[in-house]
């Protein structure tokens, strides 16, 4: 029997019967090639035979042949799909694996909120012309305390405030986890032969603290230092105001209080208005009812420190500040407890 001899109907029935016997991919492929193959598939030959029909039958034959082709293509697609489903079903029972379940979403990592805040603070100061330097976290007491005018009997040196490293030098403990980034004032000036200096030094600091809502034993600070001819207190205030505006917008209020730090004279603390109680709550855990949260210490660099750097304190002056980055993060997102940052709870950290 040649293709041209078969009637379209007979051909279709024969093809469908053959298809129902194909039970795997290779068999389906053989069937496809044999019936629908472009060169000599039997349906292709059937279509070619249209030309050989007597003119009056040609149209009807052509239509019938095309219909057969469409029917067979649809039947093939259906057969492929049902074989695929059957294979999946078999796999899910044999492999005890439901391959139709949606995949587990991969958690996407992100920066820790303190890191985000640190980077934003750094950017704010960079935009004001400060460059970034770094210093060691394990520090000599000579830098951490002596260079910062905190003598042997200063309370900050107490072992209760400081995490000492058990390395002895001449029988004494001389190394510690730095309690602040301020020693970098001395370190930066030491390696800068001449002013101007305009630098920030970000980094971790460590204290033996009883932790509470605003104190952690590990904290992130940014030290700032500007030394040049004619640097004044108004420059310090201008820089810090501008920083507050960049980070918090125009609404947030800041206030400067006089304060004492051995390495500055005069010294100040800058605080921002409390976002939790807006100054109204005597019970407020965050501001302790004062309405203000201290975020940094600052002041005019003590002339002795300028002299120790080899600069002439009758010619140059400077300002310095030390900023608590976690405090800024608290303020920025209205978080009520600093301890959330390092409790490693993804329900908290995932929100930023
Ligand atoms: N080092 C101080 C601290 O950790 C903060 C500080 C205060 C830094 C005044 C300064 C400053 O540079 O001028 O508490």
């Amino acid at each position: 029997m040649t293709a041209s001899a078969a009637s379209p109907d007979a051909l279709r029935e024969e093809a469908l019967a053959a298809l129902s016997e194909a039970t795997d991919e290779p068999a389906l492929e053989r069937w496809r090639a044999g019936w629908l193959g472009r060169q000599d598939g039997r349906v292709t030959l059937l279509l070619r035979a249209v030309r050989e029909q007597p003119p009056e039958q040609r149209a009807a034959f052509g239509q019938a042949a095309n219909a057969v082709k469409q029917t067979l293509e649809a039947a093939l697609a259906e057969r492929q799909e049902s074989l695929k489903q059957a294979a999946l079903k078999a796999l899910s029972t044999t492999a005890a694996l439901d391959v139709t379940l949606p995949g587990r979403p991969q958690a996407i990592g992100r920066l820790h909120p303190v890191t985000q805040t640190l980077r934003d603070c750094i950017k704010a100061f960079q935009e004001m012309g400060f460059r970034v330097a770094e210093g060691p976290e394990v520090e000599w007491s000579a830098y951490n305390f002596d260079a910062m005018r905190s003598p042997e009997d200063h309370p900050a040196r107490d072992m209760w405030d400081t995490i000492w490293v058990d390395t002895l030098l001449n029988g004494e403990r001389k190394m510690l986890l730095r309690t602040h980034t301020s020693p970098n004032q001395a370190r930066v000036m030491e390696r800068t032969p001449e002013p101007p200096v305009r630098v920030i030094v970000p980094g971790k600091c460590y204290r033996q603290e009883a932790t509470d809502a605003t104190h952690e034993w590990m904290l992130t600070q940014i030290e700032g230092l500007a030394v040049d001819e004619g640097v004044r207190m108004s420059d310090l205030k201008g820089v810090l105001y501008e920083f507050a505006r960049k980070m918090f917008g125009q609404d947030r209020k800041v206030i400067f209080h006089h304060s004492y730090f051995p390495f500055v004279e005069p010294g100040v603390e800058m605080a921002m208005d409390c976002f939790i109680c807006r100054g109204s709550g005597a019970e407020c855990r965050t501001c302790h009812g004062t309405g203000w949260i201290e975020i940094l210490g600052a002041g005019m660099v003590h002339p002795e420190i300028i002299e120790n750097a080899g600069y002439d304190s009758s010619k140059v002056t400077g300002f310095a500040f030390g900023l608590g980055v976690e405090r800024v993060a608290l303020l920025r997102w209205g978080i009520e407890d600093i301890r959330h940052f390092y409790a490693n709870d993804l329900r908290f950290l995932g929100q930023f």
Side-chain angles (χ1 to χ4, degrees):
M1 183 174 79
T2 66
S4 53
S7 83
D9 284 348
L11 201 82
R12 184 186 62 227
E13 290 316 308
E14 194 189 338
L16 289 174
L19 181 61
S20 68
E21 269 154 36
T23 52
D24 57 20
E25 267 300 319
L28 280 183
E29 178 50 29
R30 278 195 303 275
W31 181 92
R32 192 201 58 75
W35 293 93
L36 298 168
R38 286 207 193 156
Q39 292 295 333
D40 52 4
R42 288 179 58 188
V43 176
T44 313
L45 297 179
L46 182 72
L47 284 164
R48 259 182 231 145
V50 172
R51 276 182 267 130
E52 299 158 15
Q53 303 304 313
E56 67 282 4
Q57 288 171 22
R58 223 172 266 167
F61 191 93
Q63 270 179 10
N66 266 314
V68 167
K69 183 175 179 225
Q70 280 168 16
T71 304
L72 292 186
E73 281 171 348
L76 173 63
E78 199 177 295
R79 185 84 182 133
Q80 277 169 330
E81 182 59 25
S82 72
L83 282 183
K84 192 170 125 198
Q85 291 303 333
L88 286 178
K89 198 162 169 223
L91 187 64
S92 69
T93 44
T94 55
L97 169 76
D98 185 351
V99 291
T100 64
L101 275 179
R104 281 187 203 157
Q106 281 290 312
I108 297 174
R110 66 185 86 191
L111 293 176
H112 189 279
V114 173
T115 306
Q116 292 180 36
T117 305
L118 177 68
R119 292 191 182 181
D120 292 342
C121 293
I122 290 173
K123 185 161 168 281
F125 288 116
Q126 279 179 321
E127 285 167 359
M128 289 187 266
F130 288 80
R131 66 178 187 87
V132 182
E134 283 187 301
E137 286 181 30
V138 181
E139 183 59 283
W140 295 105
S141 61
Y143 279 108
N144 195 82
F145 294 126
D146 304 80
M148 291 293 104
R149 303 187 70 252
S150 308
E152 287 286 346
D153 55 2
H154 195 280
R157 299 182 91 140
D158 201 307
M159 65 172 293
W160 301 114
D161 291 349
T162 302
I163 301 172
W164 291 93
V165 174
D166 262 340
T167 305
L168 297 186
L169 192 77
N170 303 329
E172 261 185 88
R173 283 186 306 188
K174 295 282 188 186
M175 296 201 94
L176 52 119
L177 301 188
R178 66 179 174 200
T179 61
H180 54 177
T181 44
S182 298
N184 293 293
Q185 292 184 27
R187 284 183 174 276
V188 166
M189 285 193 276
E190 209 173 72
R191 56 180 192 252
T192 312
E194 271 181 45
V197 173
R198 198 188 290 174
V199 70
I200 54 170
V201 188
K204 294 272 191 313
C205 307
Y206 304 84
R207 294 176 191 179
Q208 199 140 317
E209 285 267 16
T211 59
D212 66 23
T214 51
H215 293 86
E216 256 290 3
W217 66 272
M218 177 181 81
L219 57 144
T220 314
Q221 286 193 337
I222 297 179
E223 192 75 17
L225 178 70
V227 182
D228 201 355
E229 283 176 30
V231 171
R232 294 177 301 182
M233 187 89 186
S234 53
D235 299 315
L236 169 65
K237 288 181 80 174
V239 164
L240 295 180
Y241 266 132
E242 181 60 17
F243 168 74
R245 277 196 289 266
K246 279 180 189 283
M247 293 298 294
F248 299 101
Q250 303 292 333
D251 307 348
R252 192 120 267 169
K253 299 194 196 84
V254 301
I255 193 171
F256 290 93
H257 292 292
H258 169 261
S259 185
Y260 174 74
F261 301 95
F263 35 92
V264 283
E265 179 58 41
V268 293
E269 276 173 19
M270 186 175 96
M272 298 192 113
D273 55 330
C274 178
F275 55 89
I276 298 274
C277 72
R278 305 256 159 223
S280 61
E283 308 283 86
C284 182
R285 277 205 297 164
T286 305
C287 71
H288 305 289
T290 63
W292 297 98
I293 303 168
E294 191 216 325
I295 61 165
L296 60 84
M300 299 305 290
V301 180
H302 198 286
E304 211 174 283
I305 290 178
I306 297 210
E307 289 288 329
N308 287 346
Y311 304 166
D312 182 347
S313 68
S314 70
K315 291 218 178 95
V316 295
T317 47
F319 68 72
F321 58 85
L323 167 77
V325 177
E326 284 82 1
R327 297 278 177 94
V328 174
L330 289 181
L331 283 162
R332 151 181 223 204
W333 285 300
I335 298 162
E336 85 289 0
D337 197 318
I338 199 171
R339 289 168 292 193
H340 290 316
F341 287 134
Y342 302 116
N344 278 342
D345 186 338
L346 287 178
R347 290 170 304 177
F348 171 78
L349 295 174
Q351 295 175 44
F352 304 96

